[in-house]
Amino acid sequence: MNNVDILEQQVFAARKKLSTQEQLMVNDYVENNAISPVAAWLLWVFLGEFGAHRFLFKKPYAALMLTLEIIGWVTIFFIIGFGFLSAVWIWWIVDAFSIQSWLKESRLQAAYKGITQVTGKSVEELSGINYSSFNGASFVNYSNQPQQPTQGQAQNNFDPNTGQPINNQPVNNQTSSANVEPQQSNNSTNSQSSNDTDGDFTDFSKPKE
């Protein structure tokens, strides 16, 4: 099982714990932050020989592809130039079969970030799926995971209706009834989410039609 498969399991499991409002907010985040399929395919068609699509997805060897293309055109009057260009063209065609999976990966990464920002909890915590050899935050290049605040620090919560952070909530070691009540309310919201959505969850790995 590769990293994308693990990330997909975590995101889909965590997504089912969200309320309807939270899911809509995550959907909007994915649409606004994931790489556009139109942009990806346009770059591949018109600038793919120069590795533009690889730069867009931040894939390795993008600079190498660009370098080989430049060398090929500079040495086009020699036989070696055709060799460089032929290698890049083959590479370019092969990449076309990977773009769809890269788009899926981009949407899963955006969903991972969106779930964390909307709920204030990590995807691993919500999904209950945690592989010791895999760190989702590292895979999506997103290390801003929520941490338990210490005494005297402000706790960052998120309003499920607006998605805006609610700051300046002091954290005390003593547990009071005022602190317990919102937690019970959140639990009831999560338990209600399955009934609210009837199991119809948006597939983050696929762009809207």
Side-chain angles (χ1 to χ4, degrees), residues 172-193:
N172 298 322
N173 289 334
Q174 296 179 349
T175 303
S176 63
S177 59
N179 292 332
V180 174
E181 190 63 29
Q183 185 176 3
Q184 294 174 347
S185 175
N186 290 336
N187 291 337
S188 62
T189 302
N190 291 336
S191 63
Q192 245 182 328
S193 62

Side-chain angles (χ1 to χ4, degrees), residues 49 68-73 76 80-90:
E49 298 178 39
L68 292 177
E69 180 73 9
I70 294 175
I71 293 175
W73 283 110
I76 190 65
I80 190 174
F82 288 100
F84 283 114
L85 291 177
S86 298
V88 172
W89 291 338
I90 294 173

Side-chain angles (χ1 to χ4, degrees), residues 27-36 106-107 110-111 113-114 117:
N27 287 348
D28 290 339
Y29 185 94
V30 171
E31 293 302 324
N32 293 330
N33 291 275
I35 294 175
S36 168
S106 173
R107 295 182 69 81
K113 297 178 183 180
Q117 292 197 10

Side-chain angles (χ1 to χ4, degrees), residues 2-5 7-8 34-35 37 40-41 53-54 57 59 94-109 139 204-207:
N2 57 35
N3 289 339
V4 176
D5 292 334
L7 184 64
E8 184 175 16
I35 294 175
W41 284 109
H53 58 292
R54 282 188 165 265
F57 287 101
K59 291 297 178 181
V94 171
D95 275 355
F97 297 95
S98 301
I99 288 182
Q100 204 61 33
S101 64
W102 293 347
L103 287 170
K104 175 182 177 180
E105 179 182 333
S106 173
R107 295 182 69 81
L108 288 172
Q109 290 175 348
F139 178 67
F204 292 128
S205 64
K206 297 180 182 178

Side-chain angles (χ1 to χ4, degrees), residues 11-146:
V11 167
F12 275 56
R15 176 186 65 179
K16 295 180 180 180
K17 303 293 181 63
L18 306 182
S19 66
T20 303
Q21 183 66 26
E22 289 173 334
Q23 289 191 50
L24 293 175
M25 293 168 62
V26 173
N27 287 348
D28 290 339
Y29 185 94
V30 171
E31 293 302 324
N32 293 330
N33 291 275
I35 294 175
S36 168
V38 175
W41 284 109
L42 285 177
L43 284 178
W44 178 84
V45 171
F46 295 104
L47 297 173
E49 298 178 39
F50 298 92
H53 58 292
R54 282 188 165 265
F55 283 107
L56 177 65
F57 287 101
K58 299 180 180 179
K59 291 297 178 181
Y61 308 116
L64 175 61
M65 192 174 187
L66 174 61
T67 303
L68 292 177
E69 180 73 9
I70 294 175
I71 293 175
W73 283 110
V74 170
T75 59
I76 190 65
F77 298 105
F78 304 96
I79 298 178
I80 190 174
F82 288 100
F84 283 114
L85 291 177
S86 298
V88 172
W89 291 338
I90 294 173
W91 191 356
W92 174 39
I93 298 299
V94 171
D95 275 355
F97 297 95
S98 301
I99 288 182
Q100 204 61 33
S101 64
W102 293 347
L103 287 170
K104 175 182 177 180
E105 179 182 333
S106 173
R107 295 182 69 81
L108 288 172
Q109 290 175 348
Y112 185 101
K113 297 178 183 180
I115 290 173
T116 302
Q117 292 197 10
V118 168
T119 65
K121 298 179 181 180
S122 68
V123 172
E124 289 82 1
E125 180 182 354
L126 290 170
S127 65
I129 301 174
N130 191 6
Y131 291 87
S132 58
S133 59
F134 174 76
N135 183 357
S138 174
F139 178 67
V140 300
N141 192 24
Y142 182 65
S143 58
N144 187 23
Q145 296 299 316

